[in-house]
Amino acid sequence: MKGYLTFIKFTFKYKYYAVMNIVCNVLSSIFGLFSIALVIPLLDVLFSTAQNNTTKHVRTNFDFNHIVAWGKENVWYYKEFYGAETVLLFICGFVVIMIALKNVFRYLALFYMVPLRNFIVSDYRIAAYNRILVLPLSYFSKEKKGDLLSRMTSDLHQIEVAIMSSLEAFTKEPITIIISLVMLIWVNPILTLIVFSALPVSALFAALIGRLLKKQSARSQSKLGDIVALIEETLMGVRVIKAFNAQDFLLKRFLVQNKLFTDLNIKANRTSDGSSPISETISIAVFATILWIGGKMVLSNEYGMTASVFIGYLTVFSQLMSPAKAFSSAYNSMNKGLASIDRVNEIIDSQEVITEKPNAHSILKFQETIEFKNVSFKYDEEHVIKHLNLTIKKGQTVALVGPSGSGKSTLTDLIPRFYDPTEGQILIDGVDIRDYKILELRGLMGIVTQESILFNDTIANNISFAKQNISKTQIEEAAKIANAHSFIIENENGYETNIGDRGNKLSGGQKQRLSIARAVNTNPDILILDEATSALDTASERLVQEALNNIMLNRTTIIVAHRLSTIINADLIVVLEKGRIVQQGTHNDLIQQNGTYKQLIQMQQIPE
Ligand code: ADP
């Protein structure tokens, strides 16, 4: 139901196109049906041998009977004057003009429909993408990447093909159906009752199929999400797959998922295919009944049913069949698409958990301290940070060390509010960070992670990134500080070189130095380095470390360190274990104690 509501909201924005589409469709239906319906009495007169019993009048009323009577009079008149053949030719010409007009309006209706369709899907796409940009990190660890990708692509496509292409049917077909029914009632009300009696049966049947289709489509779209996830994983891991000869292993996983998806699709296709033969059988049963009862009326000459009226009736009835069919297939498509609308709406409506208070404080400069006060945090059930207290002073270099999984990265994620603590507070300059404006808070920080996140764009754009209005000189300055300038200018196009998807045309160390240049560019007060050198070989590590030393000057730095050799000179070393601080002090302090730090140092064979 909610799916319908958001859909109507999106459609309402483009009501002009919707209204124009409806108006053109009404006109198109009227021209189409009138051309056929008016031909009936005319033919009747034309082939009749009876004497002319009407005279030509000027009429001002435009109801059906008047129009028909007017038509009849003219045909009588012209038949006598010009002969039957000419009048027949005239009638045929009349039908062609009417049908041409019908199609002009049909094209106009589609003309207005196209922007409506595309704008609505485009709005859905924008809304979903916008949401993805602001959603908290916790959302992405819960939702599978592949599933999100499939919602953003396949489900949106489904909305376009299933809903948008059938949307029009909901205005156009009922108009044609109603106009046809009115005509049928006008020609013969009794016979028309029979048509009506079949309606509830068809409607019930359509509703059942519709419900089933929606359920099946939701399942199949979600399975497609699994497949996209698998493909994404495979593309990311091509190198490892080849190295470990894991093709068979992955193929097996893929075959399982693919079979489930195919089976679901087969089921859904069979359901929707079933709808057409059943509805056709119902309609042919109705048609046969009409033939039988109507035929009897003609034979016994009852209810004013002549042969030509009956032919006319059947012609209009046959005109009713195709919109009825189109309507029911549109209804099926709509149900399939609604499953996709629900899936896209789940992204659009997902809750923002990291929120800004209405009268949040401004923070443009970091002045004194970052304090963790009794901070605890959990992703799921278990706390991964437990009652942690820590003070970091401006200008200090603080290193977080400890075994893998001890909570180092999580701790750094709490400072820019990627996650909020479940207990306790983090204060910057004495104010809870939840009281600051989020963008300004994050603006204080520069982050370099182990995996350098680069975008398929030029080197210059990857460095300037969010700050698009900075000069070339500033970009070069940043690159020089990050030890990246020399390798950049070696490229033929220098700063304008495109670095490929995720920067895969660069080495690990080069990527990392670009990430550092990007961080330099924002000139952050607080620098967060999360194992920034751990994935590099010794030579690149030296270059990257030099770059880091350059940018750490005069800044407050929090380093998550894997290689302890890089943090020996830190002002404060904090040793974490299972989410708690077990030791803190300088290298010299800690080495005196017989604790975890000393063991780590010994493991890495660093001279004390
Ligand atoms: P470290 O950086 O010290 O290696 P992390 O902060 O990455 O440790 O992880 C601390 C704990 O939190 C680990 O037990 C890890 O499994 C868990 N964890 C990390 N990220 C997530 C996440 N997105 N969802 C659930 N658990 C997580």
Side-chain angles (χ1 to χ4, degrees):
M1 193 57 213
K2 207 161 168 231
Y4 282 111
L5 289 181
T6 42
F7 184 68
I8 289 167
K9 197 180 85 192
F10 275 109
T11 319
F12 196 71
K13 197 168 147 197
Y14 302 107
K15 49 188 176 306
Y16 164 74
Y17 294 104
V19 169
M20 289 307 285
N21 170 267
I22 293 172
V23 169
C24 293
N25 271 330
V26 171
L27 288 171
S28 159
S29 298
I30 290 175
F31 280 117
L33 282 165
F34 266 58
S35 60
I36 293 164
L38 282 179
V39 167
I40 311 163
L42 306 186
L43 288 176
D44 205 14
V45 174
L46 192 65
F47 296 121
S48 162
T49 48
Q51 281 304 305
N52 180 5
N53 52 2
T54 49
T55 40
K56 205 166 171 324
H57 296 106
V58 176
R59 291 174 188 270
T60 48
N61 266 346
F62 280 94
D63 67 25
F64 271 165
N65 290 331
H66 279 85
I67 294 172
V68 172
W70 171 81
K72 276 188 175 184
E73 286 161 16
N74 276 296
V75 177
W76 274 117
Y77 181 76
Y78 289 113
K79 188 179 160 188
E80 285 189 351
F81 212 80
Y82 297 109
E85 264 179 44
T86 318
V87 178
L88 187 63
L89 189 67
F90 174 77
I91 291 175
C92 293
F94 168 79
V95 172
V96 170
I97 291 168
M98 283 300 194
I99 296 291
L101 279 174
K102 169 196 153 158
N103 282 300
V104 166
F105 283 105
R106 178 79 198 105
Y107 178 75
L108 282 177
L110 290 175
F111 182 85
Y112 287 108
M113 191 64 202
V114 170
L116 181 71
R117 267 169 73 159
N118 286 291
F119 288 157
I120 292 176
V121 177
S122 148
D123 280 0
Y124 263 105
R125 198 178 297 123
I126 294 170
Y129 186 74
N130 224 341
R131 204 71 206 143
I132 286 183
L133 288 178
V134 298
L135 277 173
L137 283 188
S138 52
Y139 181 84
F140 300 95
S141 53
K142 281 198 195 102
E143 300 294 326
K144 275 186 291 179
K145 229 194 262 173
D147 189 55
L148 278 174
L149 283 176
S150 122
R151 285 173 200 238
M152 289 297 293
T153 51
S154 156
D155 281 290
L156 279 168
H157 180 67
Q158 190 72 8
I159 294 178
E160 155 124 48
V161 294
I163 300 209
M164 292 302 149
S165 56
S166 58
L167 182 64
E168 206 204 5
F170 288 92
T171 55
K172 176 177 164 268
E173 310 307 351
I175 293 168
T176 322
I177 293 172
I178 289 168
I179 295 178
S180 311
L181 280 176
V182 168
M183 289 208 166
L184 291 180
I185 292 171
W186 169 61
V187 178
N188 195 315
I190 297 177
L191 211 46
T192 310
L193 262 184
I194 300 165
V195 182
F196 272 108
S197 66
L199 272 183
V201 183
S202 318
L204 180 74
F205 165 74
L208 284 177
I209 292 227
R211 264 209 358 229
L212 192 60
L213 269 176
K214 185 176 173 195
K215 212 164 78 191
Q216 288 173 335
S217 185
R219 277 202 213 127
S220 121
Q221 286 298 101
S222 142
K223 191 39 74 191
L224 183 63
D226 292 344
I227 291 187
V228 177
L230 199 62
I231 295 172
E232 206 248 0
E233 251 176 30
T234 309
L235 294 179
M236 297 294 297
V238 166
R239 202 180 279 264
V240 178
I241 295 167
K242 287 194 194 304
F244 283 84
N245 281 335
Q247 289 90 339
D248 281 350
F249 170 71
L250 278 149
L251 184 63
K252 266 188 206 137
R253 268 175 59 179
F254 186 79
L255 289 179
V256 171
Q257 299 291 347
N258 192 46
K259 179 163 177 4
L260 288 173
F261 178 60
T262 311
D263 289 349
L264 281 172
N265 266 348
I266 289 177
K267 259 193 201 159
N269 288 354
R270 284 191 175 147
T271 309
S272 62
D273 287 347
S275 117
S276 167
I278 299 177
S279 70
E280 183 156 332
T281 311
I282 294 178
S283 43
I284 290 299
V286 176
F287 192 76
T289 319
I290 291 174
L291 263 184
W292 182 55
I293 299 176
K296 271 198 338 191
M297 287 177 179
V298 176
L299 292 176
S300 59
N301 221 344
E302 281 172 335
Y303 307 104
M305 187 70 114
T306 62
S308 66
V309 170
F310 190 45
I311 291 172
Y313 189 92
L314 288 178
T315 320
V316 178
F317 182 76
S318 66
Q319 292 294 305
L320 181 72
M321 298 314 294
S322 84
K325 220 167 166 181
F327 186 78
S328 87
S329 84
Y331 179 74
N332 285 344
S333 288
M334 186 88 181
N335 272 303
K336 264 188 180 169
L338 272 178
S340 289
I341 286 205
D342 286 348
R343 280 165 54 80
V344 176
N345 276 341
E346 271 168 28
I347 301 181
I348 298 175
D349 298 335
S350 47
Q351 287 303 310
E352 175 65 287
V353 285
I354 308 285
T355 48
E356 185 173 286
K357 292 189 177 163
N359 45 1
H361 296 277
S362 176
I363 179 160
L364 298 174
K365 198 110 198 88
F366 167 49
Q367 307 282 2
E368 287 169 9
T369 53
I370 305 171
E371 288 172 84
F372 287 75
K373 275 195 175 168
N374 197 28
V375 170
S376 297
F377 176 77
K378 59 179 176 187
Y379 289 102
D380 302 308
E381 296 298 308
E382 218 177 306
H383 278 99
V384 294
I385 301 286
K386 295 163 196 157
H387 304 291
L388 187 139
N389 289 292
L390 174 68
T391 304
I392 298 167
K393 296 201 187 83
K394 185 181 164 87
Q396 274 189 330
T397 296
V398 176
L400 303 176
V401 301
S404 163
S406 55
K408 305 179 295 284
S409 302
T410 306
L411 196 64
T412 58
D413 278 350
L414 295 178
I415 307 173
R417 286 192 75 195
F418 291 156
Y419 300 96
D420 278 340
T422 29
E423 257 176 71
Q425 301 180 284
I426 300 169
L427 312 172
I428 290 187
D429 296 340
V431 176
D432 192 318
I433 54 173
R434 284 171 288 204
D435 292 338
Y436 286 124
K437 291 186 175 148
I438 297 180
L439 291 183
E440 290 185 3
L441 175 76
R442 290 185 185 156
L444 297 178
M445 299 167 203
I447 300 173
V448 182
T449 54
Q450 179 178 4
E451 191 192 349
S452 13
I453 310 291
L454 297 172
F455 296 85
N456 190 349
D457 204 333
T458 60
I459 290 179
N461 279 343
N462 265 290
I463 297 178
S464 61
F465 200 45
K467 290 190 151 186
Q468 285 298 325
N469 51 355
I470 63 166
S471 71
K472 269 192 173 161
T473 340
Q474 280 171 303
I475 294 178
E476 274 188 39
E477 277 306 307
K480 277 178 192 158
I481 297 176
N483 254 349
H485 182 69
S486 51
F487 88 80
I488 295 172
I489 51 170
E490 276 170 21
N491 288 299
E492 199 183 322
N493 297 322
Y495 280 81
E496 294 310 312
T497 310
N498 191 301
I499 57 168
D501 203 13
R502 287 165 185 263
N504 59 14
K505 291 185 193 162
L506 302 174
S507 77
Q510 289 172 335
K511 280 193 248 182
Q512 200 57 303
R513 280 178 278 159
L514 282 193
S515 299
I516 294 171
R518 178 155 74 201
V520 175
N521 219 344
T522 57
N523 194 17
D525 289 352
I526 301 166
L527 199 59
I528 297 172
L529 308 174
D530 191 349
E531 312 215 70
T533 55
S534 67
L536 304 176
D537 57 82
T538 328
S540 324
E541 186 192 344
R542 195 181 49 76
L543 285 168
V544 172
Q545 193 57 50
E546 262 176 39
L548 289 176
N549 290 344
N550 288 344
I551 63 165
M552 279 155 60
L553 279 179
N554 307 323
R555 284 181 226 273
T556 313
T557 313
I558 298 153
I559 312 177
V560 173
H562 184 67
R563 294 189 199 169
L564 300 187
S565 56
T566 57
I567 50 105
I568 285 174
N569 296 324
D571 301 308
L572 178 66
I573 297 170
V574 177
V575 186
L576 284 173
E577 222 171 313
K578 294 188 180 148
R580 291 181 202 276
I581 297 180
V582 289
Q583 282 183 297
Q584 58 176 308
T586 61
H587 173 74
N588 287 336
D589 295 343
L590 296 179
I591 219 74
Q592 307 298 325
Q593 304 167 10
N594 218 359
T596 313
Y597 185 74
K598 189 164 181 180
Q599 284 169 12
L600 290 170
I601 287 282
Q602 281 165 352
M603 272 196 302
Q604 297 195 3
Q605 296 174 337
I606 297 167
E608 295 169 18

